[in-house]
Structures are given as C-alpha cells and as structure tokens.
Amino acid sequence: MNTRPTRLFAAFSLTLALAACQKLGSGGGGDGDTAPSLAVGDSVSGEITSSSRLNYNDGSRHQGYRVTLKSGQAVALELGGALDGQLSVFDGQSLLASASSRGYEGEAGTSEVSLAFKAPKDGTYLVAVNSAGADAFGPFKLKSSQVTPYDGKPLGAGSEAIDWLMGDKQDYTLKVDKAGIYTIAMESGALDAYLHLSGHGIDIEDDDGGGNLNARIRAYLEPGDYTIGTSSLNGSTGAFKLKVALTPVDKDLIIRDGSALVIGRTAQGMVDSRGRRSFVLDLDAARHLQFDAIADNFDSVLRISGPGIDAEDDDGGNGTNARLVLQLGPGRYTVTVSSFGSQQGVFELETTDLGDEPATPANSNRKDAAEAATEAAAAN
C-alpha cells in the first residue's frame, strides 16, 4: 500500500488540464450552453480528433455534454472505446469530480474509465470527455446511468450506494442476515480507496484488491452487524460507490480448522480472516501423494507438517496455485492452505494418490542420505 506521491502530482496536473476545458478552444464540439445534451440513462458515441476543441495548456482535446440534474441526484458515467481518455464533471467553473483510465485496458484493447458523482444542487452540469494527451485520439462511447445515493440505512446483501468521502474516514453498518461469502467493493475515480471490515472476530483491511485504485474485501461472514470503514490513502475527498454482494456457500464448504482430508476427494474451503485454513490427514501406511491448492482470486500457499516432514510451496502448480508432491510415512499430518498477503477467498484442495511413481523432492525439505552426505563434504 503506497501513497504514491507521483499520483498526487498526476491528479493535480489532471485537474489543471480538465479545468482548461472551460477555456476558449478551437475546432468542433462545444462547452457550456453550446454542448449537446446527455440525458441520464442514455449513451452517446463520439470521437476525439485533431478538430476537437483544444486545451491550450497541454494540447489535448475534449468534447463536452450538458447533463441536467436535481439536487442529490447520483449519476454513474462510463467511458469506453479506443480513446485513451479522461472524464470530468464541472459545475460552472468548479471541478466536481474526475477520473482517468490509469493505464487500464478492457476487452479488445479498449480503454475504460468510470466515474460516479452526486449533484450538490439543481442545475445543469458539464461532462467533459478529455483526451489523455496531445497525441491521444480515437472514438469513444459515453454511458450514463442513475444510481441510488446512500440514504443512511444499514447496508446488506445486494446493496449499492454512492456517497461522498468528506473527511479522513466514514463508517457504514453492514447487516448480515444470512451466512455466506460477502464481497464488499469500494470504487472511485477520484481517490485511492481503502476498506476496513470489522466485527464478530473479523478484522480485514484492503487497498487495491479491486483493481486499479479500488478496494475489495471478500470474507465469510456469520449473521450479525459489522462496520465498514471507508477512507482514502492519497488524502483525496470525492465520490465513491460502495457495493455489497453475497455468494451463497455450499453446505460442504469447510470454514473451520481441523477437518479430515480424504485421499482422492476434493475439499472446498474458505480461508479465515488471517488468510489460512488447516486440515488433518491421517495415514496408516506410507503413501506417495500430490496436494494441489487451487484458488481463482488469491495466490495460494501450501504447507504440510508431520512426522519427519515440514514442506511448503507457493507457485508449484498452475499459475499462482500451490502444489506439493511428497512421500509420506504413517502418522498424522497438518495440511495448511494460506493466501499470499492474507487475502480472502474460496479454494479447492485436491489430494491425489500417485501410487508407485517416484517422489519429486523439489518442493520438499527432506533430503536423502546421499544428498546430505554430498553437501556435508562440500561444506568441509
């Protein structure tokens, strides 16, 4: 988690560049009263070209749209297309909110920018589509949609609210009626989002888990009331969207430590608030086994300890999944799956009997006698 001073400088430069949209320019497109209208819920297509209005301070180009809103009305804007662009909203000469692509590309190489804001009063506002620089041109599509502003009530599964971060931190109540995996996301184009979830033994923080500068927490929650803390790492204030989604869990999902592993059977589990989950494996005879910890939304780590063994692996499997291949003797073993960085999420733990195939010692800390003797001789 970095405050990234360069981002503060970039944000300041962006404000200056976008403010220049209000200055005189040349070429097509208009601002203020001459800009075309955009109704909430509609989409428009356009293109930034060398004939678009010029921002004299940096040579970039822009196109403006007028949006008429009621006081407190909340709107989400999405900018897509090939244009490397930025979005900004003005109330007269005042900049209300802004967002840029920050180098993120969506499907088929398209640039994506999202921005949500709330009208402080009745009036007409200028939405500016601005190119990221003097050499940025291309087609774009601007989509607007109505969103529900936060009404002060507790949040729950399926909630989606927009609010303004006015100070260092704002807290919200999350009411959980049904146990399950909850995903809490804080999205903003105006600030570096930071989330903190607490209550009922849960204490989880996240900075950029939602991609770009957005924050996301994913955790298994029991029924009860929790506190969602929102803040900004770069000290900015502005609009953000807070979303809560529930993923129902299968009745066989393992959410407690100490469950028994069965060879040949896949166990589905959820790491706890510390980012880990442990299992027990009892062997009555020597076995040659392969363990795979498979997770889609976190980097898994495997550790197996027991009689004569203490092995760990991070990325031995496919992608960022962990894998251990071990020759284990009779006894009780502890198998722990954890997430790199203590992230939350669901995983699958596969335990496979490899039969008489030779063991692969690459991810085991046990060495045979010959290898140990060779290392001892080299040391002397």
Side-chain angles (χ1 to χ4, degrees):
M1 294 181 291
N2 301 315
T3 55
R4 301 186 267 291
T6 54
R7 287 178 178 168
L8 296 178
F9 176 78
F12 178 71
S13 300
L14 172 61
T15 300
L16 292 178
L18 294 176
C21 292
Q22 300 297 311
K23 298 180 181 179
L24 274 177
S26 61
D31 293 331
D33 294 337
T34 64
S37 296
L38 174 65
V40 177
D42 286 353
S43 299
V44 294
S45 296
E47 185 173 4
I48 296 296
T49 68
S50 58
S51 62
S52 299
R53 288 184 72 90
L54 176 67
N55 300 324
Y56 285 117
N57 66 327
D58 64 355
S60 63
R61 307 280 175 163
H62 70 273
Q63 169 67 54
Y65 296 91
R66 290 181 294 116
V67 180
T68 301
L69 303 172
K70 295 291 186 180
S71 177
Q73 187 175 1
V75 179
L77 300 171
E78 295 180 9
L79 178 66
L83 176 68
D84 182 9
Q86 303 163 339
L87 276 175
S88 60
V89 180
F90 291 90
D91 178 11
Q93 299 294 317
S94 300
L95 177 66
L96 289 184
S98 64
S100 64
S101 63
R102 294 192 175 97
Y104 174 74
E105 287 192 352
E107 297 181 0
T110 59
S111 179
E112 295 181 358
V113 185
S114 61
L115 173 65
F117 73 101
K118 184 167 60 176
K121 64 179 185 298
D122 291 354
T124 298
Y125 299 84
L126 178 69
V127 175
V129 176
N130 202 73
S131 63
D135 57 352
F137 303 97
F140 64 84
K141 184 174 183 179
L142 178 62
K143 177 183 178 181
S144 67
S145 58
Q146 180 82 28
V147 294
T148 304
Y150 180 60
D151 57 8
K153 297 179 181 178
L155 302 173
S159 294
E160 181 173 317
I162 183 173
D163 203 5
W164 285 83
L165 185 65
M166 303 302 294
D168 294 335
K169 181 183 177 182
Q170 289 174 194
D171 289 339
Y172 302 82
T173 298
L174 171 63
K175 188 174 183 61
V176 174
D177 296 322
K178 181 180 180 181
I181 300 171
Y182 284 77
T183 301
I184 303 162
M186 180 181 178
E187 302 173 351
S188 175
L191 47 85
D192 188 349
Y194 188 81
L195 276 174
H196 180 208
L197 177 66
S198 60
H200 296 274
I202 297 292
D203 190 357
I204 307 171
E205 300 176 346
D206 181 74
D207 174 13
D208 297 332
N212 291 333
L213 300 183
N214 298 320
R216 186 181 70 169
I217 289 176
R218 183 176 168 88
Y220 178 85
L221 302 180
E222 298 281 359
D225 290 346
Y226 298 79
T227 299
I228 300 174
T230 62
S231 57
S232 171
L233 280 183
N234 60 9
S236 299
T237 61
F240 65 91
K241 185 186 295 184
L242 198 58
K243 299 190 294 185
V244 180
L246 166 64
T247 302
V249 298
D250 188 271
K251 61 183 179 63
D252 295 326
L253 181 71
I254 297 171
I255 59 173
R256 291 179 175 82
D257 292 336
S259 296
L261 285 181
V262 178
I263 297 173
R265 185 180 300 175
T266 299
Q268 186 181 44
M270 174 83 184
V271 293
D272 60 18
S273 60
R274 301 167 298 173
R276 61 178 184 248
R277 180 67 60 209
S278 63
F279 300 81
V280 172
L281 175 64
D282 289 312
L283 297 179
D284 56 6
R287 304 290 287 268
H288 181 203
L289 301 175
Q290 175 175 307
F291 301 85
D292 287 278
I294 303 168
D296 291 333
N297 62 338
F298 65 82
D299 185 352
S300 64
V301 180
L302 255 177
R303 182 177 181 181
I304 299 176
S305 59
I309 187 74
D310 188 0
E312 185 173 290
D313 176 73
D314 179 8
D315 297 331
N318 296 325
T320 59
N321 295 321
R323 172 178 293 171
L324 282 170
V325 180
L326 301 169
Q327 187 74 40
L328 301 179
R332 168 165 286 196
Y333 297 84
T334 299
V335 181
T336 302
V337 177
S338 58
S339 61
F340 191 79
S342 299
Q343 293 181 332
Q344 295 290 299
V346 176
F347 64 88
E348 290 184 344
L349 177 58
E350 297 178 352
T351 307
T352 307
D353 191 342
L354 299 180
D356 296 329
E357 296 179 20
T360 301
N363 50 19
S364 170
N365 71 338
R366 297 197 302 179
K367 302 180 177 66
D368 58 32
E371 183 181 355
T374 301
E375 290 186 356
N380 294 328

